[in-house]
Amino acid sequence: DAGVIQSPRHEVTEMGQEVTLRCKPISGHDYLFWYRQTMMRGLELLIYFNNNVPIDDSGMPEDRFSAKMPNASFSTLKIQPSEPRDSAVYFCASRSDRGGKNEQFFGPGTRLTVL
Amino acid sequence: AQSVAQPEDQVNVAEGNPLTVKCTYSVSGNPYLFWYVQYPNRGLQFLLKYITGDNLVKGSYGFEAEFNKSQTSFHLKKPSALVSDSALYFCAVINNFNKFYFGSGTKLNVKP
């Protein structure tokens, strides 16, 4: 398996622009998580899905952030409009709950820089 | 509420010496505990987990962790550190709703 795939790996954009981050989870995994990592705040859970349905979006910082999972193999995290304080590394992770409480598998991350 | 605490921002150890990275947890119910490692510019990688059973859990790269219920701890250990073990280490707990709570991370520096 190729693991969790994220694209792009790096994104540089200007303030006010729309940014879309993409994630392909591991096939067969029924949970998908979006995290944000910064030096100041560490690793923050933004939102997670179970069977394509958003379960907990309490970590989404504000209305400028939205996430979708139209099918089991694809999810997007969108920021519109983007701001410099959104600069961070965004990770997607997936896991399967079959067989018990299982670990999450993380993608390589997307490093976002908003100028 | 579920949470984990990693009291040390950084741990320094000489190569060949044993290392310990500390983690304490707070959960309602049975704890499901995990350790992850993050190398520079990489995503987090799973090291080991405790779900039930033996309190000493062995994981990848020679790491192990000891679950201590009375002290609510799950410290990560390795008998002999390598320079290549230098990385950021995260402890995590999962709640009944399958939501992970990660600690703030501990930077491990192993010096030759």
Side-chain angles (χ1 to χ4, degrees), chain A residues 11-20 64 78-84 86 112-115:
Chain A
E11 176 80 31
V12 180
T13 190
E14 293 187 346
M15 182 174 63
Q17 297 298 306
E18 178 179 295
V19 175
T20 299
R64 297 185 297 106
K78 186 176 293 186
I79 308 172
Q80 167 61 19
S82 58
E83 297 182 3
D86 301 331
L112 173 64
T113 303
V114 183
L115 303 174

Side-chain angles (χ1 to χ4, degrees), chain A residues 83-105:
Chain A
E83 297 182 3
R85 59 192 169 121
D86 301 331
S87 298
V89 181
Y90 291 82
F91 290 103
C92 177
S94 71
R95 63 184 284 259
S96 168
D97 215 21
R98 297 185 190 91
K101 301 290 184 182
N102 291 321
E103 62 273 20
Q104 294 183 7
F105 293 84

Side-chain angles (χ1 to χ4, degrees), chain B residues 80-100:
Chain B
S80 179
L82 300 173
V83 172
S84 57
D85 293 330
S86 298
L88 191 57
Y89 290 81
F90 291 93
C91 183
V93 66
I94 189 173
N95 71 358
N96 292 334
F97 300 100
N98 295 307
K99 182 175 179 179
F100 268 66

Side-chain angles (χ1 to χ4, degrees), chain B residues 17-79:
Chain B
N17 284 359
L19 69 88
T20 299
V21 182
K22 295 180 180 178
C23 172
T24 58
Y25 64 89
S26 174
V27 299
S28 53
N30 294 323
Y32 301 99
L33 298 157
F34 300 78
W35 275 102
Y36 282 80
V37 60
Q38 184 181 28
Y39 297 102
N41 302 313
R42 303 286 294 276
L44 277 70
Q45 297 178 31
F46 169 76
L47 274 181
L48 50 81
K49 66 181 176 183
Y50 172 83
I51 302 299
T52 186
D54 194 348
N55 289 344
L56 185 64
V57 179
K58 294 187 183 296
S60 306
Y61 312 122
F63 283 92
E64 57 189 27
E66 186 169 10
F67 171 66
N68 188 317
K69 188 173 183 178
S70 62
Q71 297 185 5
T72 62
S73 67
F74 190 57
H75 301 332
L76 182 70
K77 300 181 179 183
K78 187 173 182 180

Side-chain angles (χ1 to χ4, degrees), chain A:
Chain A
D1 198 319
V4 176
I5 299 173
Q6 291 186 248
S7 64
R9 293 294 310 276
H10 302 272
E11 176 80 31
V12 180
T13 190
E14 293 187 346
M15 182 174 63
Q17 297 298 306
E18 178 179 295
V19 175
T20 299
L21 311 181
R22 297 173 176 79
C23 175
K24 176 178 168 56
I26 293 173
S27 177
H29 282 191
D30 43 6
Y31 285 87
L32 184 140
F33 304 80
W34 281 102
Y35 291 89
R36 177 172 68 176
Q37 187 177 36
T38 62
M39 288 292 291
M40 292 295 293
R41 292 175 173 268
L43 194 63
E44 303 174 274
L45 175 64
L46 300 178
I47 184 171
Y48 77 96
F49 296 83
N50 179 215
N51 293 322
N52 313 337
V53 176
I55 302 301
D56 185 342
D57 65 354
S58 60
M60 295 287 261
E62 47 196 276
D63 292 345
R64 297 185 297 106
F65 286 69
S66 62
K68 294 181 180 180
M69 192 166 185
N71 57 61
S73 59
F74 184 65
S75 177
T76 60
L77 178 67
K78 186 176 293 186
I79 308 172
Q80 167 61 19
S82 58
E83 297 182 3
R85 59 192 169 121
D86 301 331
S87 298
V89 181
Y90 291 82
F91 290 103
C92 177
S94 71
R95 63 184 284 259
S96 168
D97 215 21
R98 297 185 190 91
K101 301 290 184 182
N102 291 321
E103 62 273 20
Q104 294 183 7
F105 293 84
F106 282 75
T110 296
R111 183 174 295 276
L112 173 64
T113 303
V114 183
L115 303 174

